[in-house]
Amino acid sequence: IPKKLVTSVSGCVDDALAGLVSCNPGLRLLRGHRVILRDDLPAIRGRVALLSGGGSGHEPAHAGYVGKGMLTGAVAGAVFTSPSVGSVLAAIRAVAQAGAAGILLIVKNYTGDRLNFGMALERARSEGTDVRMVVVGDDCAFTSPGKAGRRGICGTILIHKVAGALAEEGAGLDEIVEKVTAAAKAMGSLGLSLSPCSIPGSKPSFQLAEDEMELGLGIHGEAGVRRMKVLPADEAVETMLEHMTDPSNASHLSLTPGCSVVLLVNNLGGLSCLELGIVAGAAVRSLESRGIRIARALVGSFMTALEMAGVSLTLLVVDEELLQLLDAKTTAMAWPNIPMGPATSRREEVPAPVDVPGNPLDEAGTGAGAAWVEPVLERVCSTLLDLQDKLNQLDREAGDGDCGHTHARAAQAIREWMRSQPLPATPSQLLSSLADLLLEKMGGSSGVLYGLFLTAAARSLQGRSDPAAWADAMDSGIGAMQRYGGAAPGDRTMLDSLCAAAQALHSLRLPGADPLRVLEATVQSAEEAAEATRHMEAAAGRASYIRSSRLEHPDPGAVAVAAVLGAVL
C-alpha cells in the first residue's frame, strides 16, 4: 500500500477541510457536515447561490473554488465518493436561509453525484426552495459515450467561474442556467496518465507498465480508451488534441480555424511543474498550428486525482462575453491570478544585453603567449578526461555522481575553444576568458567556483608578470571562492587542495626562491591535501549531508584540483 502523509485514513477528508478553513479566513465549515461555505453569506442575499461538490481527492476542487465571484459553497464526500444527500441538502438550506434568490447546483456527470445532488434538489423543492441543477459532461475520451454520457472532469471549474461571475453581476437563475449550459456544450477535456493513484489505505486503482501511458482515463482512475507506449510530450499532446477534435468521435469538440479558446492545462496531482510547463508549451504550439487563437491559458493543479502522475487538457470555445466572465475577479483561493492576455509561442524575446565595452582585462599583448599555454591546457584536458570515471565513482559516495562528467564537460569546452580562436596573449586575459568559458559550459557548482577563482585570479594578475604575482593570484582566487561558497580548509572540498597549494606557492615571494622547486612542492602539497580529505568530515557541499562514517574516499573536487595543478605546473 503506497505511503500517505495523513494523520488517519478515516479522518483524512475532515482533516483536509479543517486545514483549508484554518488557512483561509474567507471560508467556514458548516457544523456537522463536510460543507465549506463563504464566510460572508449575508452578501448573497438577493443573488443566486452556487453549490457544487463531489468526492474528495480532487483538491483543490471543489472547496478551493468557494469565494466571491465563484462558488457559494462546496460539499465534499469521502475520497472518490459522492457526498451524502443530507450534506447537500444542508448546504442548500444554509444558503437559502441566507436569502439567496435561487440556487444552482453544478454537478459533474457521475451517477453517484447526479443521484445524491438530484435527491437533495427534490427534497429542497418540496420545501419551497428554488433550486436548479446543471450537469457538466466535458470528457472527450469515448467515441461512443453510451447511456451514461460524457464524464464530468476538469472543465467543470470553468463552469464554476462563468456561473460565479454572472451571479456576482446579479444575473437571475434562468439566465445563469442558460449561459452555463451553452458554455458546457462548447467545452471538451481529455486526460492522460503515466501512473495510477491510490486512495489512502488502499492499493493503486490500476497498474501501468513502466513504458506505458493511458489516454482518456477518468479522475478516479477509471479506465481510459487506449494504452500506448510513453510518447515525448509534444507527441502526447498532439495525440490528445487529435482525439479531442476528431469528428468521428461522438464526444469531440468542434474547433474551426480562427476561433478563440481558453486552454486549461491541469496537473492530475503527481506531475512535476517542469513537465506541466513542457506540456503547456506543446499545447499552445499545437493549437496555433491549427489556426486556433488561445485567448487565455491556465496552467496548474485545478482538479486532481490524488497523486496521479498525469495531465488533462480542457478547451472552452469563447466569445468576448465569456472571456469577460472568466476574467472577472474572484476571491476563490484556487483560481489562478492569470494575466488578461492571449497565450502564444511567438512572444517576442527581450534582446540580450550588449557586452560592456572596454573590458578592464584588455591589456596589451605582452607576457605569456600561446606558445606554452596550448600544451599546458591540452594536458589539463587530457588529465580531466582520463579522470572522468574515477571522479564520478568518488562523487557517487557523497554527491550525485556527476563530478567526472562536470569536469569532462569543462575539458571538452576548453578543447573546442582552443581550436576555434587564437588564445589570449596575457595571463590575466587567459584566466578571464577561461572563467567565462567555464561559467557558460561547465555547469554545476563546480563551474561557478572555478569561475570565481579564475575571475579573481585574473584581476590580481592584471599588468603583472613577476613570480610572486601567481601566489597573489592564487590567494585572490581562494578568497573569492570562500567568500561566496562558504567553505574553509578542513571542510572536505576542493579548497583543501587549493589552500595547501597556495601555502607552498607563497615561497615564490621569497628572495632567491627556485620557481621549479616551489612548483614541485605546490603540486605535492595539493596531492597530499586531496588524499587527506579521506579522513575529514564534510562540512560543506552535498557531502555534508552524508554521515562521515560513510565517506571512505577522498573528496572528488579536491582530487580534481590536485590533478589540474599537476598538469599545469
Side-chain angles (χ1 to χ4, degrees):
I1 295 176
K3 292 177 283 189
K4 302 283 184 181
L5 195 59
V6 297
T7 302
S8 70
V9 170
S10 60
C12 64
V13 171
D14 296 309
D15 291 345
L17 293 176
L20 181 71
V21 170
S22 66
C23 295
N24 291 276
L27 302 180
R28 294 289 186 273
L29 268 168
L30 181 61
R31 184 176 298 136
H33 297 279
R34 289 171 173 165
V35 175
I36 300 288
L37 296 167
R38 286 170 53 173
D39 76 329
D40 60 345
L41 282 185
I44 68 166
R45 179 172 294 277
R47 298 178 187 272
V48 172
L50 307 172
L51 297 174
S52 188
S56 297
H58 306 303
E59 291 74 18
H62 292 273
Y65 303 110
V66 174
K68 184 179 180 181
M70 285 194 80
L71 298 178
T72 314
V75 191
V79 176
F80 292 175
T81 304
S82 297
S84 68
V85 173
S87 287
V88 178
L89 184 59
I92 294 172
R93 287 170 174 166
V95 296
Q97 291 168 17
I103 299 165
L104 176 61
L105 307 180
I106 302 172
V107 179
K108 300 188 301 300
N109 188 30
Y110 291 98
T111 302
D113 288 354
R114 289 199 317 271
L115 287 172
N116 288 303
F117 277 85
M119 184 68 240
L121 177 147
E122 295 298 330
R123 291 274 302 274
R125 280 182 176 171
S126 70
E127 296 172 0
T129 306
D130 185 12
V131 190
R132 302 276 294 277
M133 185 164 80
V134 169
V135 178
V136 180
D138 56 314
D139 186 14
C140 294
F142 296 102
T143 54
S144 300
K147 190 173 182 179
R150 298 165 66 185
R151 296 175 295 200
I153 50 179
C154 193
T156 308
I157 72 155
L158 297 178
I159 301 303
H160 294 342
K161 185 65 180 66
V162 170
L166 286 166
E168 195 60 33
E169 289 177 356
L173 186 55
D174 289 341
E175 180 185 354
I176 295 175
V177 169
E178 178 186 349
K179 289 185 175 178
V180 299
T181 301
K185 290 177 180 176
M187 180 171 66
S189 300
L190 188 68
L192 178 76
S193 182
L194 304 175
S195 80
C197 59
S198 58
I199 294 173
S202 302
K203 293 181 179 179
S205 52
F206 63 94
Q207 295 295 329
L208 276 174
E210 286 295 317
D211 61 346
E212 282 185 326
M213 55 182 11
E214 182 150 356
L215 181 71
L217 75 175
I219 54 173
H220 311 93
E222 311 97 316
V225 292
R226 186 162 87 238
R227 286 193 178 184
M228 51 195 181
K229 297 297 182 184
V230 173
L231 297 172
D234 53 351
E235 294 180 30
V237 167
E238 189 64 32
T239 301
M240 294 174 76
L241 291 174
E242 283 179 5
H243 187 89
M244 291 171 69
T245 58
D246 182 357
S248 67
N249 175 1
S251 59
H252 79 284
L253 175 66
S254 295
L255 294 179
T256 56
C259 73
S260 292
V261 300
V262 167
L263 166 68
L264 191 153
V265 183
N266 173 55
N267 189 343
L268 286 171
L271 206 67
S272 69
C273 293
L274 178 87
E275 294 163 284
L276 198 66
I278 294 169
V279 169
V284 169
R285 291 192 300 274
S286 183
L287 289 168
E288 284 180 332
S289 71
R290 290 169 159 80
I292 307 301
R293 179 178 180 270
I294 306 111
R296 300 288 185 273
L298 292 74
V299 183
S301 298
F302 302 105
M303 184 177 287
T304 63
L306 293 168
E307 81 279 27
M308 184 180 288
V311 65
S312 67
L313 301 178
T314 297
L315 296 172
L316 170 63
V317 180
V318 293
D319 56 17
E320 196 56 40
E321 180 188 9
L322 262 184
L323 206 53
Q324 288 178 2
L325 294 170
L326 290 166
D327 284 341
K329 291 190 179 300
T330 176
T331 61
M333 48 98 40
W335 184 259
N337 182 23
I338 55 172
M340 294 183 188
T344 177
S345 63
R346 307 182 184 101
R347 217 173 300 284
E348 187 177 349
E349 294 181 340
V350 177
V354 297
D355 289 336
V356 178
N359 188 316
L361 295 180
D362 287 345
E363 311 168 46
T366 58
W372 65 269
V373 171
E374 189 166 343
V376 168
L377 288 179
E378 181 55 43
R379 281 202 306 274
V380 169
C381 294
S382 298
T383 299
L384 291 178
L385 290 170
D386 290 344
L387 277 175
Q388 181 174 354
D389 291 340
K390 178 181 178 181
L391 294 176
N392 281 337
Q393 179 59 39
L394 292 173
D395 196 32
R396 272 191 283 273
E397 298 187 6
D400 49 9
D402 69 345
C403 183
H405 294 320
T406 303
H407 283 80
R409 272 198 305 273
Q412 289 157 356
I414 292 171
R415 276 184 170 171
E416 290 171 10
W417 173 67
M418 287 193 296
R419 293 171 187 149
S420 67
Q421 60 190 43
L423 297 181
T426 68
S428 61
Q429 289 174 327
L430 175 67
L431 297 192
S432 182
S433 297
L434 285 172
D436 291 341
L437 181 69
L438 297 187
L439 285 169
E440 180 183 355
K441 302 289 188 180
M442 187 174 186
S445 56
S446 295
V448 180
L449 288 167
Y450 281 115
L452 282 167
F453 177 86
L454 292 169
T455 298
R459 194 177 301 117
S460 180
L461 282 172
Q462 190 176 359
R464 298 178 62 185
S465 59
D466 56 296
W470 292 96
D472 295 342
M474 179 76 92
D475 288 347
S476 296
I478 290 171
M481 292 175 74
Q482 288 185 282
R483 189 157 53 249
Y484 297 105
D491 285 348
R492 200 181 190 274
T493 69
M494 64 169 66
L495 270 175
D496 290 299
S497 292
L498 279 171
C499 289
Q503 285 297 318
L505 208 59
H506 287 172
S507 297
L508 288 175
R509 296 170 178 157
L510 301 175
D514 182 343
L516 187 59
R517 289 190 176 180
V518 172
L519 296 181
E520 289 174 350
T522 298
V523 172
Q524 184 178 349
S525 296
E527 291 173 345
E528 290 173 354
E531 178 60 26
T533 60
R534 179 193 299 269
H535 310 293
M536 293 179 185
E537 183 170 345
R542 285 184 177 166
S544 62
Y545 304 114
I546 309 295
R547 292 195 306 272
S548 58
S549 59
R550 293 175 53 191
L551 300 175
E552 300 173 350
H553 298 283
D555 176 72
V559 171
V561 164
V564 169
L565 289 172
V568 170
L569 304 179

